[in-house]
Amino acid sequence: MKVIVIGAGLGGLTLAQGLRQAGIDVAVYERDGAEGRMQGVSLHVDDRGASALRGCLPPAHAAMVEATMGGLREQTLSVSEVDGALAVVGAQPSAARPGRQTHRPLLRAVLLTGLADAVHFGAEFTRFEQQTDGTVKVWCADGRTDTADVLVGADGIGSAVRRQYLPQARVVDSGQRMLMGATALRFAAGLPDLIGSNPAVARVGDLTMVLAALRFTSPPIVARQRLLPALHHDAVASLEDYLMWALPATREQPDLPPVLRRIVDEAWPEMTSTLRIGTIPPVPAWPASPVTVLGDAIHLARGFGGNLAMQDAHRLREALIEADRGRVDLVEAIGAYEDTMRASAPVPVKASA
């Protein structure tokens, strides 16, 4: 069996690693360069993402991810100004599943390790055709083509695979924009000690700012030497503990207390980006075929989309292994995966008026 994956994000690479571990031929086509696009600096990895990584990655890769996560996050803190200083004024169980924070670019670098011969960068997918022999042929903008038994669209919210395969699926822009960034912990002036590993919501007037500190359990450069020396040195060379933050994107500069203002002002420019918030309304079941999708290409989940993408990858890997071993028909296996994926997809939340 051969599988073509479009998109070298977290879901696509988790699937590629899992298929390679199972001895299934895989090729990944990614339109961007090896550095990729900024898609956020941190990821809260819950039980779904952690299980997928353990199930799909080689042991050393999984150990590297585990060693460089932050502490356990089980509650959300409320932070506000009290007598001119920030203080924790409340705590509640987290709306998200318990988990640990990881550095998203580092996780992607770990996922890429060992796949140099399988991942093709600068290869923009343009279209596919299902062949009479049951295979799927794909074309890229630079003229290259490839053929496989299965095509997987793991190319995110703007999925070109989804646009052709499921044109009835549509992305709805909520109109909301979030400014996200990261700042070295040394500029946070006691805030990390205040909130620990838990996420915090700081309310200052009408403004809400989300904060989360990542203290690497093991320094990434040390963990690489010990666990995954094949990981590119540049992926860990300059990493340090940091504070992730997010606030609504506005035209005016927000009025922040000095400690929060410094956090924004000292943010790493390359880690600062504006995120568009969108949803994909549930798509009625479609007939299964050798073409399928995963992650943000079919269901958007604000705050935990990475976990769902990796969970999809894990489930699809298991389905394809069953088909490759001859225990189930290929299209039936993909259909079963899609049924499970649809059943566990999040219900879109309507934006407030």
Side-chain angles (χ1 to χ4, degrees):
M1 179 189 293
K2 179 178 178 179
V3 178
I4 292 176
V5 178
I6 305 300
L10 300 185
L13 293 175
T14 299
L15 176 59
Q17 286 282 3
L19 294 175
R20 174 157 285 190
Q21 291 299 297
I24 295 175
D25 189 15
V26 61
V28 181
Y29 291 90
E30 167 58 51
R31 69 175 184 177
D32 294 324
E35 296 301 317
R37 289 168 289 123
M38 175 50 60
Q39 295 181 307
V41 64
S42 286
L43 176 70
H44 174 83
V45 179
D46 61 27
D47 58 297
R48 295 166 294 187
S51 177
L53 292 170
R54 286 192 300 268
C56 293
L57 300 189
H61 290 59
M64 179 69 193
V65 175
E66 176 79 14
T68 52
M69 287 183 175
L72 183 63
R73 311 166 87 201
E74 297 182 291
Q75 59 182 345
T76 299
L77 306 179
S78 295
V79 176
S80 187
E81 271 194 301
V82 177
D83 297 328
L86 290 177
V88 174
V89 296
Q92 59 184 7
S94 177
R97 300 187 187 203
R100 299 169 64 192
Q101 190 175 184
T102 191
H103 185 259
R104 190 178 185 123
L106 175 57
L107 173 58
R108 184 170 183 268
V110 171
L111 290 171
L112 280 167
T113 301
L115 292 178
D117 60 329
V119 181
H120 308 277
F121 293 107
E124 181 180 1
F125 165 86
T126 57
R127 66 187 179 93
F128 71 84
E129 285 184 5
Q130 296 187 49
Q131 306 295 293
T132 56
D133 63 357
T135 60
V136 183
K137 184 175 181 178
V138 303
W139 281 260
C140 293
D142 60 6
R144 79 181 86 181
T145 63
D146 199 355
T147 302
D149 300 288
V150 181
L151 170 63
V152 181
D155 44 345
I157 185 173
S159 174
V161 176
R162 182 196 66 234
R163 283 199 303 271
Q164 179 180 346
Y165 186 52
L166 300 171
Q168 70 273 30
R170 58 190 180 91
V171 177
V172 179
D173 188 346
S174 71
Q176 297 177 323
R177 302 292 184 270
M178 294 296 292
L179 181 66
M180 304 184 70
T183 306
L185 221 53
R186 48 195 161 87
F187 294 116
L191 185 58
D193 293 331
L194 188 68
I195 64 176
S197 297
N198 290 301
V201 177
R203 292 182 174 85
V204 183
D206 294 331
L207 180 72
T208 298
M209 185 174 182
V210 177
L211 304 157
L214 175 57
R215 296 180 180 88
F216 294 106
T217 300
S218 176
I221 197 165
V222 174
R224 171 189 173 270
Q225 293 171 346
R226 180 169 57 92
L227 298 169
L228 194 61
L231 174 65
H232 201 290
H233 181 267
D234 289 350
V236 299
S238 61
L239 292 185
E240 60 177 300
D241 296 347
Y242 64 88
L243 189 78
M244 183 282 294
W245 53 266
L247 69 167
T250 59
R251 293 183 179 179
E252 298 80 22
Q253 190 176 67
D255 184 17
L256 299 171
V259 62
L260 298 182
R261 169 50 53 196
R262 189 180 188 201
I263 288 169
V264 174
D265 290 345
E266 297 289 351
W268 292 308
E270 69 276 12
M271 292 292 179
T272 304
S273 61
T274 300
L275 179 67
R276 181 184 69 165
I277 308 300
T279 63
I280 299 178
V283 181
W286 57 89
S289 81
V291 181
T292 191
V293 285
L294 63 76
D296 283 355
I298 191 61
H299 50 68
L300 298 176
R302 182 177 174 182
F304 56 92
N307 288 287
L308 289 189
M310 292 186 289
Q311 176 180 260
D312 286 349
H314 189 198
R315 288 172 170 171
L316 181 54
R317 170 196 187 260
E318 297 305 302
L320 294 179
I321 289 174
E322 289 296 294
D324 185 57
R325 304 297 188 262
R327 292 190 282 263
V328 64
D329 174 76
L330 175 60
V331 173
E332 288 181 5
I334 292 173
Y337 151 73
E338 291 174 341
D339 287 342
T340 303
M341 178 264 292
R342 282 187 290 261
S344 59
V347 177
V349 177
K350 294 183 179 179
S352 300

